Amino acid sequence: MKTGETILNEREKILGRIREALKISAPLPGSHGEVATHAHAESPASHAREWLPSVGASSAEQFDLFAKNAADLKADFQLLNSREELPAALKKIAAAEKWSRIASHDGELSNFASTTLGLPVLLTDKGYDVQEMEKCDAGISECDALIAQTGGVVVTNRSAGGRALSVLPPHHIVIARREQLVADLPAAFALLKQKYADNYPSMISFITGPSRTGDIERILVLGAHGPKKLTILCF
Amino acid sequence: MTVTLFIPCFIDALFPRAGISMVEILERLGHKVVCPNEIACCGQPPFNSGYWDEARTIAAPALEKLKDAEAVVIGSGSCGAMIKKFYPELFAKTPQAELAKQVASRTWEFSDFLVTKLGVTNLGAKFPHKVTFHDGCHGLRELGIKSAPRALLGNVSGLEFVEMKEESCCGFGGTFSAKFPMISTAMGEVKCAAATETGADFIVSNDSSCLMHIQGLLSRQGSKLKTIHLAEVLNQR
Amino acid sequence: MSFVSQFKSLASEKTRDLRHRSVIRTALRSYEIVRDKRKAAFQSWESARQAAAETKWEAINHLDEHLVALATKLEARGTKVHWASNGAQAREIIAQILRDKKARSIIKSKAMTSEEIHLNHALEKEGFTVVESDLGEFIVQLRHEPPYHIVFPSMHLTRGEIKDLFQKELGDAPSDSPEELTMVARRVMRQKYIQADVGFTGGNFAIAETGMISITENEGNARLTAALPKTMITLMGIEKVLPRFSDLALFLPMLATAGAGQPMTCYNTMYSGPRQPGECDGPEEWHVILLDNRRTELLADAEQRDALHCIRCGACLNVCPIFRNVGGHTYGTTYSGPVGAVITPHLRGLQDWKHLSNASSLCGACTEACPVKIDLHHHLLQNRRNASASEPAFFEKLAYKTFAIVANEPAFWSLAKKIGWLTQPLQSLVKGTALDPAKAWTKTRDLPPQPLESFKDWWKNRQ
């Protein structure tokens, strides 16, 4: 197959059809058939903050909202008083779930967390055997942000040890700092844009609760394919 | 004022009492009512089926006849929508485009006319029964009519109003009821069940075509539930 | 059997199936309750809808610019971007990738475009093993039937039916509890993710500004599909573009709200390339296939162009009384419900598929529910107009011409009413029989009695 030539032709054909079609204008929504003549100067969605669910103004209100949303999602959110409380919190979970091995990545917080348990740790940073990760009881990662509006966590493959760490093990533990809480979705996207600019990690994921499905009689079941449990330890 | 009452084809032939009630109510309120004999139909049946030339053949003379009307009142949400929302579209890019917009702006569905235009919600009516209300889809979604009929019914002496749990289309849809009768019937059954569940004696609506379909099913089911047009209820004394 | 006969036949069957109608009604009732709650949580759902509609307008009406920006940015980071004018080309591109990689198995996460191009069948015919990882898709794949709903593929099945299915096809169904059945699927899938040669996904949104494909899911199967296999393929309709990264802040919660009554879907993931230098996992190769398949024809219809704004949330299906009573399979095509009824005549032929646009009472619930304000029910009317303009049905057109003559002439109208009244006794004689001209009505409904005095008679007598 004349690969380069054929693909270019299809691309140009499709773009050609699009340009031809767009020679005729279509009415703007809500304009009752009047035809639009100009594009928006400002993006229509730039006021999204005013229409999305409201978020409290103060940090305390936002933490409360995050906690409430996380609870609704059946995610375990623990707001610790200090970094020093982290080992005890983790050990409690590890004991209850009888962890024997965990997976994590090389980061200041994730190292602090993973080394505290005295368990074998699979580190993903230099590559790893997936079958070995499959044997791990939990994956411990950092994150880019917590979102008060949704009770969700933003991770990237750069900040959270790759693509699989936050989704393959049956329990995902997120270690976050208080300063990482943002108010709403617009703030989260703005943060990502500012932090990564032109060099985005190849995967960014907004995780909102443990994995779930409603495909059987619309009954909610957790742990469909991703983690059955999501724990967020924040200090 | 002089009200030009547009009587839809099915009210003329099948449910004249609804039209008569409208005349009596408007006259009692002190308005002069005229009913042009030449207008029999708004043209919606061919329009909905996609035969817009034939729809224009019916609608164009109707438009002309309504040209000088001070206010056009229609006793049906679906016909009201036809004139208010669809005549401008039907006549776009024709010589009657402007006229269609003009007439549309002076056209009202009956309950909307009473409440929004005339500011009247109490007609001194009496109807001591338990009723529920079916919102015809065109009136509800094309014309935004929901509160007007309820405001009017709220002032009817002796009337007990109960809302159906769910809003849904009755399934008439004009020729849809004959082209896809099995679906139309299923939708009607859902509506009848919702109405029956309210325990009402009557289903009231501002659209006789919906009531025709619902009544057809109720009669076949042997149900005690009866249908009645909003205007007839408001004319009971 | 023609498509329309098939549709009517299935519709008759499904509307008689009261159990099926009840299952669907229960499922959709619980959806409505959570959806209303989520909508109410918005400070202004209506303002959000308007902004979403305008954003999509911007995206579609500058589609070429956005697609070029998207492709350029994707290619800059090593993604291979392919352009497919039709399903056959897309299938061949995908099959060729599998051949090149000497792949045997492909694990798929949900993609309606792959249904649209009948991908699974083509790949299986060539000997590849195709596994659907989304639970609902996995279930209907085992049943050898298409998805029932674009968002909830198995909503028509009860837990008992799924238990029997798993018992029969997998030999593993401890009970009919949704939890245990889901765990069966989870167990089955584990090694398939890890061992699959190729992962296949769809795409919910494509961001032009940053060169990303955004994938929305609850289960995590798409995340795994995009993480573990060495080669990743993404198939996406060209209409899925959004101009800006920040647009997702509006679209992701709206998609979740309208589609499932959730505040956010569990995983919303944006991919901007295959594994980059310094990254520890992810596919070495990522192929993104941009699919036209007659979307450009819909684009050319400026009146209905906004049908391409669709974000495939399924809200219109959920509120449609036709969908609720006949179910998704009756439509006989990939996209069902109101949006399917609007676009299928464009994507698969007006005359063959106009019946989907005809099978509607035009109640408008769909237009009201659409988060991007597509004028759905009016497009059904426009399809009807276009269909009868290009191929009028002779007798129907004649009937309306006759009706117009009668309606416009008071003398004829008056005569027609008299004839109607006079023939009423005859009507009751033939009612329900083959001779009954109103059989379509009278099979299930009584006809209204016609009074002797019509309104116009009363009015005339009054003067």
Side-chain angles (χ1 to χ4, degrees), chain B residues 5 7 9-16 18-20 23-24 27 33-41 43 45-54 57-59 61-62 85-86 89 137-138 140-142 165-169 171-187 189-190 209 212-213 215-217 219-220, chain C residues 4 7-9 11-13 15 18 21 25 29 32 303 321-322 324-326 355-356 358-366 368 377-378 381-382 384-386 388-389 391-394 396-397 400-401 403-410 413 417 431 440-451 453-460 462-463:
Chain B
L5 191 60
I7 295 293
C9 51
F10 48 90
I11 290 192
D12 178 31
L14 299 170
F15 308 105
I20 294 166
V23 173
E24 290 178 351
E27 286 180 344
V33 179
V34 300
C35 290
N37 192 47
E38 299 85 344
I39 306 179
C41 177
F47 178 77
N48 276 359
S49 293
Y51 293 91
W52 287 21
D53 286 337
E54 285 69 24
T57 307
I58 300 170
K85 291 295 283 286
F86 297 120
E89 199 177 327
C137 294
H138 278 91
L140 178 67
R141 298 209 170 85
E142 301 291 356
K165 267 214 200 103
E166 266 184 66
E167 187 282 313
S168 70
C169 176
F172 176 62
T175 52
F176 169 75
S177 61
K179 288 179 177 172
F180 296 93
M182 57 322 235
I183 309 177
S184 170
T185 299
M187 289 161 71
E189 284 171 353
V190 172
S209 50
M212 175 172 70
H213 176 66
Q215 185 65 66
L217 282 164
S219 301
R220 185 60 62 92
Chain C
V4 56
F7 177 83
K8 285 185 172 172
S9 168
S12 292
E13 193 190 305
T15 49
L18 296 178
R21 279 165 61 184
R25 194 160 51 243
R29 185 72 200 126
E32 276 179 342
E303 193 182 37
I322 282 81
R324 284 167 171 237
N325 284 296
V326 306
H355 60 278
L356 294 186
N358 289 337
S360 166
S361 61
L362 303 177
C363 78
C366 50
E368 194 178 64
H377 70 302
H378 291 151
L381 259 177
Q382 289 152 7
R384 295 179 189 185
R385 181 202 64 204
N386 295 344
S388 29
E391 265 183 46
F394 179 76
E396 193 176 5
K397 194 169 168 82
Y400 287 125
K401 276 189 155 43
F403 180 69
I405 293 168
V406 171
N408 284 353
E409 177 50 57
W413 181 248
K417 280 184 286 184
K431 188 172 85 168
W441 182 275
T442 56
K443 185 163 177 213
T444 53
R445 297 155 283 207
D446 286 351
L447 280 170
Q450 186 183 341
E453 192 187 48
S454 73
F455 175 87
K456 285 192 158 66
D457 293 334
W458 174 84
W459 181 260
K460 203 165 83 164
R462 212 183 183 229
Q463 310 300 39

Side-chain angles (χ1 to χ4, degrees), chain C residues 80-128:
Chain C
K80 294 188 178 19
V81 178
H82 309 258
W83 300 70
S85 283
N86 54 49
Q89 283 181 16
R91 287 194 301 269
E92 178 55 26
I93 291 166
I94 294 165
Q96 189 58 47
I97 296 167
L98 295 178
R99 292 177 208 128
D100 289 345
K101 297 288 142 199
K102 297 193 176 27
R104 284 146 310 165
S105 66
I106 175 169
I107 187 148
K108 288 181 71 202
S109 65
K110 196 156 134 43
M112 290 310 291
T113 39
S114 71
E115 283 293 323
E116 183 187 330
I117 66 167
H118 307 293
L119 179 65
N120 291 9
H121 178 72
L123 293 181
E124 282 164 348
K125 230 167 77 172
E126 210 179 306
F128 298 109

Side-chain angles (χ1 to χ4, degrees), chain A residues 10 52 128 193 200 226, chain C residues 43 77 85 186 209 279 281:
Chain A
E10 282 324 304
L52 292 172
Y128 59 92
K193 201 166 176 192
Y200 286 100
Chain C
Q43 292 173 81
R77 304 191 83 203
S85 283
R186 185 190 168 99
E209 181 196 20
E279 292 182 351
D281 59 8

Side-chain angles (χ1 to χ4, degrees), chain C residues 61-81:
Chain C
N61 285 280
H62 299 275
L63 185 58
D64 54 322
E65 295 164 34
H66 293 311
L67 285 174
V68 169
L70 173 75
T72 305
K73 291 208 148 68
L74 281 169
E75 284 165 341
R77 304 191 83 203
T79 307
K80 294 188 178 19
V81 178

Side-chain angles (χ1 to χ4, degrees), chain A residues 1 7 10-11 13-15 17-19 21-22 24-30 36 38-40 43-45 48-54 124-128 130-131 134 150 155 157-158 161-170 185-186 189 192-193 199-213 215-219 221-228, chain C residues 27 30 41-44 47 50-51 53-55 57-58 60-64 67-68 77 83-85 89 133-136 152-154 158-159 162 178-179 181-183 186 189-191 193-194 209-210 212 218-219 221 223-224 226-228 244-245 247-250 253 262 264-274 279-283 292 296 299-300 302 305:
Chain A
M1 154 164 119
I7 291 173
E10 282 324 304
R11 173 186 156 125
K13 281 184 198 161
I14 292 172
L15 290 172
R17 285 197 289 271
I18 293 172
R19 287 168 187 140
L22 292 179
I24 306 172
S25 301
L28 259 174
H38 54 272
H40 281 80
S43 105
R49 173 162 292 139
E50 295 158 31
W51 312 316
L52 292 172
S54 58
T124 58
D125 313 83
K126 293 188 179 23
Y128 59 92
V130 183
Q131 298 288 7
E134 176 66 356
T150 63
V155 300
N157 57 340
R158 213 178 280 169
R163 294 189 182 197
L165 179 62
S166 49
V167 75
L168 188 70
L185 285 165
F189 280 94
L192 288 166
K193 201 166 176 192
N199 187 20
Y200 286 100
S202 68
M203 183 200 85
I204 299 170
S205 193
F206 285 61
I207 300 175
T208 314
S211 149
R212 63 198 55 226
T213 182
D215 273 339
I216 299 179
E217 288 187 6
R218 300 198 46 82
I219 306 286
V221 173
L222 299 181
H225 297 288
K228 197 166 173 148
Chain C
S30 65
F42 272 66
Q43 292 173 81
S44 175
S47 301
Q50 181 62 25
E54 287 176 18
T55 305
W57 182 93
E58 192 191 334
I60 295 298
N61 285 280
H62 299 275
L63 185 58
D64 54 322
L67 285 174
V68 169
R77 304 191 83 203
W83 300 70
S85 283
Q89 283 181 16
S133 63
D134 173 272
L135 178 59
F152 305 113
S154 58
T158 61
R159 64 183 77 183
I162 297 169
E179 163 108 24
L181 291 169
T182 305
M183 292 305 114
R186 185 190 168 99
M189 269 335 135
R190 282 335 258 181
Q191 284 302 316
Y193 288 117
I194 292 170
E209 181 196 20
T210 53
M212 294 171 176
N218 270 316
E219 297 177 16
N221 57 312
R223 283 270 324 252
L224 288 167
L228 301 175
R244 289 161 292 268
F245 189 47
D247 292 335
L248 288 172
L250 184 67
Q262 289 180 286
M264 275 284 268
T265 319
C266 193
Y267 301 99
N268 289 283
T269 312
M270 296 108 225
Y271 297 96
S272 54
E279 292 182 351
C280 67
D281 59 8
D292 178 355
T296 44
L299 188 72
R305 186 176 298 160

Side-chain angles (χ1 to χ4, degrees), chain B residues 149-211:
Chain B
R150 286 162 176 79
L152 290 161
L153 289 172
N155 284 322
V156 174
S157 163
L159 185 145
E160 185 193 341
F161 184 86
V162 56
E163 204 71 81
M164 284 187 248
K165 267 214 200 103
E166 266 184 66
E167 187 282 313
S168 70
C169 176
C170 73
F172 176 62
T175 52
F176 169 75
S177 61
K179 288 179 177 172
F180 296 93
M182 57 322 235
I183 309 177
S184 170
T185 299
M187 289 161 71
E189 284 171 353
V190 172
K191 173 99 305 180
C192 290
T196 306
E197 206 189 350
T198 64
D201 305 309
F202 286 89
I203 306 173
V204 184
S205 179
N206 52 358
D207 216 309
S208 290
S209 50
C210 302
L211 291 176

